Amino acid sequence: QVQVVESGGGLVQAGGSLRLSCAASVRTFSNCAMGWFRRAPGKERVLVAAVDKSGGSTYYADSVKGRFTISRDNAKNTVYLQMNSLKPEDTAVYYCAAAERPIAVLPTRYDYWGQGTQVTVSS
């Protein structure tokens, strides 16, 4: 059974940094696109960043461009989200997801989801 487990969330002051990690027990991890999504209170889940199966192509939501960086280590079946210059509006539950396809942006294209990790940015 596939497991997707996020870690690294927490409470940070505005301007600070956090690094989220996601370990996915997908046998074909190196063939999977990986994505980070977030859901803020009262809002829909949205894509924050995505990376293709090789790590060579990335996608970012406009709201995080220049501040967040997605990366992956296929040898460790792990994807990361480095979050810098955090803002209170980044407060949300962050979800990691895996898609059994080379690249994916839409949440409906993702096959496996983690339980989420809370990120809270105080002003």
Side-chain angles (χ1 to χ4, degrees):
Q1 184 169 349
V2 174
Q3 286 189 317
V4 179
V5 180
E6 306 95 338
S7 61
L11 173 64
V12 64
Q13 288 188 331
S17 298
L18 281 176
R19 188 194 196 200
L20 304 183
S21 298
C22 169
S25 63
V26 182
R27 188 167 55 186
T28 57
F29 183 85
S30 61
N31 288 330
C32 290
M34 298 297 296
W36 285 99
F37 295 77
R38 69 186 182 188
R39 176 179 284 158
K43 296 186 177 181
E44 294 185 351
R45 182 174 56 189
V46 296
L47 179 68
V48 174
V51 60
D52 75 343
K53 65 177 185 176
S54 69
S57 295
T58 55
Y59 169 88
Y60 295 95
D62 287 343
S63 59
V64 306
K65 282 181 180 177
R67 300 188 298 122
F68 291 11
T69 303
I70 188 170
S71 61
R72 65 188 296 161
D73 185 339
N74 284 350
K76 296 182 178 180
N77 279 29
T78 301
V79 64
Y80 307 96
L81 186 67
Q82 178 67 44
M83 306 185 294
N84 299 328
S85 302
L86 282 161
K87 304 175 181 180
E89 51 264 44
D90 293 318
T91 295
V93 177
Y94 283 71
Y95 299 89
C96 177
E100 290 186 308
R101 49 187 50 85
I103 185 67
V105 176
L106 297 175
T108 53
R109 303 293 283 175
Y110 282 81
D111 303 290
Y112 309 106
W113 291 83
Q115 294 298 307
T117 185
Q118 176 70 47
V119 172
T120 303
V121 184
S122 63
S123 57

